[in-house]
């Protein structure tokens, strides 16, 4: 039990929550500006969570109470654990060496699974429909995601994220591999909104059709935990993409050298800026520009087009590497 | 006002027999020009997520059990927004047999038949309530401004004063020489009458 362990145990989740909520606030503000509104202040998500934590928590009569209450905690815990696997700039990931990309794939699935189980246990028809949609959507987008991760395993001959973050993937392949990687990146960017249940793919939480779907019976503390887990996972997912595809450090990119403590701060900020840019590109712009897909449209999109794109990328990468 | 709800108010919108005028106003305060979201107000589709329930319409008798259910489904602390003239006091339907006639009459039923205390209520009059009125309500919720409400006695006294003023004006006008004399129309007996 060293000081570093305690910092990682307490500091990292707190940092994750703060960053997640901050990015959510920026996302809402930019989305509002895009539709020429003023938008809520950037600190609005903090107030939302604070309010939800203080409000009464209702457990419906038909619900399986213990599953209903446990699932928000599982969702938040899986998001937090996911965050602990992601290298933060040049600071190494706290759980480095204890798991690899496959664990990350499972953790990404676990949160969606927890939400679906919570929805099924709520005993409400809206929540049931939402949970079924979530399961179908999960079956659709997991395949392209797994293909992307297989592509990385082919290039590095390893599933370890620390090896991947060490050298940028673009320097390891030739022109054919570049095209393959671009295809993989595009597939991953299309998967991102589905993974985070954001607008073109928020079919499971469709507000207008099924009253927030699987969240419809959650209130108070439980809803706050889901809100937090969503915020943290959005940040972690985009941070993972940055770690996979854009691990370029500030000093590499601009050819500058800093002393030890300053470089940590600058690289951290540089990492946050990269995550913010990718967050806006992959989540906010898409969320504001597109309308919701129907479930069978989303399924077809992932199983045919995105899958073909990802497989093509994988083949090109494999041709280059082998 | 409940402190927790000042900065972030999630509203569940329920049409309790409205003519859709106020419903359209509730939706259009979220459009770019009034932009309700900048006060932290959000429309939510499930009453479990909501802090406030927006009632539009004079509450028809068939709607009473549903409105009670919806108010029960809201987790504490909760607020009721009575939007439009109908929801505030029955509007033009105040004496119609199919409607309860406004939120105050509804609270009497809530107290007598369901044994529930009425939640904090904000009255937003207008037919339909203007977006400005709804923004004013958001200001009241956020504790920026106080709700302007007059006591019933004050209103009656003011009405009496107004009446007296009008009566004096008429009397003065009658006394003045510019006032036209009363025109008396004389008619003959109707045809056919005896």
């Amino acid at each position: 039990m060293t000081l570093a362990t305690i910092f990682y145990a307490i500091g990292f989740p707190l940092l994750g929550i703060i960053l997640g909520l901050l990015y959510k606030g920026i996302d809402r503000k930019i989305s509002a500006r895009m539709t020429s509104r003023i938008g809520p202040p950037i600190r609005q998500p903090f107030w939302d969570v604070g309010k939800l934590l203080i409000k009464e928590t209702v457990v419906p009569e038909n619900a399986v109470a213990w599953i209903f209450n446990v699932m928000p905690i599982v969702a938040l815990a899986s998001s937090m654990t996911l965050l602990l696997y992601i290298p933060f700039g040049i600071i190494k990931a706290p759980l480095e060496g204890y798991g690899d990309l496959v664990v990350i794939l499972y953790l990404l699935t676990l949160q969606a699974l927890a939400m679906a189980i919570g929805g099924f246990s709520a005993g409400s028809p809206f929540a049931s429909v939402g949970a079924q949609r979530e399961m179908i959507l999960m079956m659709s987008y997991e395949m392209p995601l797994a293909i992307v991760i297989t592509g990385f395993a082919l290039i590095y001959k390893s599933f370890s994220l620390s090896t991947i973050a060490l050298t940028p993937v673009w320097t390891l392949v030739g022109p054919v591999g570049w095209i393959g990687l671009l295809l993989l990146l595009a597939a991953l960017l299309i998967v991102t909104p589905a993974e985070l249940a954001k607008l073109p793919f928020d079919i499971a939480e469709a507000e207008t059709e099924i009253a927030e779907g699987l969240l419809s019976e959650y209130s108070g503390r439980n809803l706050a935990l889901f809100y937090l887990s969503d915020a943290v996972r959005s940040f972690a997912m985009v941070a993972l993409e940055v770690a996979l595809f854009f691990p370029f450090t500030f000093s590499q990119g601009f050819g500058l050298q800093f002393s030890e403590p300053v470089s940590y701060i600058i690289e951290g900020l540089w990492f946050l800026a990269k995550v913010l840019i990718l967050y806006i590109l992959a989540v906010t712009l898409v969320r504001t520009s597109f309308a919701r897909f129907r479930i069978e449209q989303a399924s077809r999109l992932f199983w045919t087009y995105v899958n073909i794109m990802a497989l093509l990328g994988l083949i090109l990468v494999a041709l280059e590497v082998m | 006002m409940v402190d927790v709800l000042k900065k972030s108010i999630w509203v569940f919108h329920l049409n309790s027999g409205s003519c859709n005028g106020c419903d359209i106003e509730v939706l259009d305060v979220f459009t770019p020009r009034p932009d309700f979201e900048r006060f932290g107000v959000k429309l939510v589709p499930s009453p479990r997520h909501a802090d406030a329930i927006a009632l539009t319409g004079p509450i028809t008798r068939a709607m009473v059990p549903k409105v009670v259910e919806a108010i029960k489904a809201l987790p504490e602390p909760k607020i009721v927004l009575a939007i439009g003239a109908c929801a505030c006091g029955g509007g033009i339907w105040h004496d119609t047999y199919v409607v309860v006639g406004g939120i105050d009459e509804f609270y009497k039923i809530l107290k007598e038949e369901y044994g529930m205390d009425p939640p904090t209520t904000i009255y937003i009059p207008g037919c339909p309530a203007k977006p400005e009125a709804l923004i004013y309500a958001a200001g009241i919720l956020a504790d920026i401004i106080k709700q302007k409400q007059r006591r019933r006695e004050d209103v009656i006294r003011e009405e009496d004063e107004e009446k007296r003023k009008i009566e004096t004006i008429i009397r003065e006008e009658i006394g003045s020489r510019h006032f036209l004399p009363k025109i008396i129309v004389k008619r003959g007996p109707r045809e056919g009458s005896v």
Side-chain angles (χ1 to χ4, degrees):
Chain A
M1 202 63 159
T2 57
L3 206 66
T5 326
I6 296 168
F7 168 72
Y8 285 139
I10 299 163
F12 241 75
L14 265 179
L15 196 70
I17 287 175
I18 290 169
L19 284 174
L21 290 179
L22 187 70
Y23 277 51
K24 214 179 169 80
I26 294 172
D27 163 61
R28 277 177 78 171
K29 190 82 182 172
I30 288 172
S31 176
R33 294 306 307 174
M34 278 177 71
T35 49
S36 71
R37 290 182 289 124
I38 294 169
I42 285 170
R43 55 195 184 282
Q44 185 64 40
F46 292 89
W47 285 332
D48 286 350
V49 168
K51 176 206 71 182
L52 284 174
L53 283 174
I54 298 169
K55 277 194 76 113
E56 184 194 9
T57 308
V58 182
V59 180
E61 281 173 24
N62 319 343
V64 187
W66 71 273
I67 300 181
F68 186 79
N69 285 327
V70 160
M71 282 309 145
I73 300 170
V74 173
L76 184 59
S78 64
S79 307
M80 291 290 186
T81 322
L82 177 65
L83 197 67
L84 293 182
Y85 277 106
I86 290 159
F88 198 90
I90 52 168
I91 304 167
K92 282 179 179 172
L95 282 182
E96 192 184 302
Y98 293 96
D100 46 27
L101 275 175
V102 182
V103 178
I104 288 174
L105 200 60
Y106 278 129
L107 283 170
L108 278 173
T109 318
L110 190 62
Q111 201 248 10
L113 209 59
M115 283 178 86
I117 294 171
F120 276 128
S121 72
S124 145
F126 286 132
S128 273
V129 172
Q132 280 162 14
R133 289 184 179 189
E134 174 77 40
M135 301 297 280
I136 295 169
L137 196 62
M138 229 159 76
M139 279 186 259
S140 315
Y141 67 68
E142 284 303 322
M143 179 80 175
L145 196 60
I147 293 173
V148 171
I149 285 177
T150 317
F152 273 87
L154 271 179
I155 295 171
Y156 286 97
K157 306 275 186 288
S158 153
F159 274 119
S160 163
L161 197 59
S162 48
T163 324
I164 290 171
L166 220 57
T167 37
V169 66
W170 308 92
T171 58
L172 293 175
V173 289
V176 182
W178 268 54
I179 299 169
L181 276 176
L182 280 175
L183 284 173
L184 287 182
L185 176 62
L188 191 59
L189 286 180
I190 296 173
V191 167
T192 315
E195 183 72 54
L196 306 176
K198 288 286 155 58
L199 200 80
F201 304 109
D202 71 338
I203 310 158
E205 295 161 25
E207 286 130 28
T208 36
E209 317 157 34
I210 51 169
E212 291 270 344
L214 32 74
L215 294 177
S216 66
E217 285 296 328
Y218 278 101
S219 61
R221 195 192 65 235
N222 287 338
L223 187 62
L225 290 180
F226 271 135
Y227 193 98
L228 282 178
S229 90
D230 174 53
V232 173
R233 194 166 76 138
S234 305
F235 177 79
M237 177 76 191
V238 180
L240 174 69
E241 281 163 23
V242 168
L244 285 179
F245 282 99
F246 310 103
F248 310 104
T249 55
F250 190 78
S251 48
Q252 274 175 356
F254 296 90
L256 299 168
Q257 288 300 323
F258 300 100
S259 56
E260 189 71 352
V262 181
S263 86
Y264 272 106
I265 293 166
I266 284 176
E267 293 297 344
L269 289 176
W270 172 242
F271 177 74
L272 286 181
K274 279 191 294 187
V275 174
L276 183 63
I277 290 167
L278 198 63
Y279 195 101
I280 291 165
L281 286 178
V283 179
T284 316
L285 292 189
V286 178
R287 178 171 91 87
T288 320
S289 316
F290 289 93
R292 189 180 301 123
F293 280 113
R294 284 199 308 274
I295 183 73
E296 92 275 4
Q297 285 175 330
S299 247
R300 196 180 305 128
L301 178 78
F302 281 118
W303 274 111
T304 54
Y305 305 114
V306 181
N307 241 342
I308 289 170
M309 201 160 77
L311 276 174
L312 205 66
L314 185 66
I315 290 166
L316 290 177
V317 167
L319 280 178
E320 179 81 22
V321 174
M322 282 171 186
Chain B
M1 185 48 51
V2 197
D3 277 6
V4 191
L5 305 179
K6 277 181 189 169
K7 301 281 187 189
S8 141
I9 309 135
W10 291 4
V11 180
F12 173 67
H13 170 214
L14 181 66
N15 180 335
S16 56
S18 162
C19 65
N20 285 161
C22 295
D23 299 332
I24 291 165
E25 295 302 323
V26 167
L27 293 182
D28 76 22
V29 284
F30 291 93
T31 52
R33 191 177 276 265
D35 189 20
F36 224 18
E37 204 187 350
R38 67 198 146 121
F39 303 108
V41 182
K42 205 168 99 173
L43 268 190
V44 289
S46 164
R48 293 262 189 246
H49 303 182
D51 312 304
I53 180 164
L55 294 176
T56 52
I59 309 177
T60 53
R61 292 208 181 273
M63 203 62 195
V64 168
K66 284 95 175 172
V67 175
V68 173
E69 280 300 309
I71 290 181
K72 267 187 197 166
L74 251 65
E76 293 284 344
K78 51 192 161 197
I79 304 167
V80 171
L81 306 173
I83 294 177
C86 299
C88 287
I92 58 169
W93 317 105
H94 69 103
D95 56 354
T96 317
Y97 64 97
V98 284
V99 306
V100 170
I103 198 87
D104 290 330
E105 297 296 319
F106 171 72
Y107 283 157
K108 279 177 200 162
I109 296 174
L110 197 69
K111 187 104 184 172
E112 282 162 18
E113 291 181 23
Y114 297 90
M116 283 165 66
D117 285 329
T120 320
T121 311
I122 289 176
Y123 298 86
I124 306 159
C127 185
K130 275 182 164 187
E132 289 87 339
L134 287 160
I135 289 171
Y136 192 84
I140 292 165
L141 277 173
D143 229 6
I144 302 166
I145 32 183
K146 289 263 181 293
Q147 176 148 31
K148 281 181 188 163
Q149 259 184 324
R150 293 185 297 172
R151 283 178 303 172
R152 199 162 182 79
E153 305 91 76
D154 294 350
V155 175
I156 291 170
R157 207 179 56 221
E158 275 174 27
E159 279 176 357
D160 284 350
E161 270 172 23
E162 200 84 345
K163 218 181 273 173
R164 214 175 303 129
K165 246 183 229 167
I166 291 168
E167 275 169 7
T168 39
I169 289 170
I170 289 173
R171 217 175 297 128
E172 278 170 8
E173 287 290 338
I174 289 170
S176 74
R177 59 198 176 91
H178 298 297
F179 198 76
L180 287 173
K182 215 181 215 173
I183 299 166
I184 302 159
V185 182
K186 285 178 181 168
R187 287 179 198 277
R190 277 192 197 169
E191 277 177 43
S193 66
V194 183

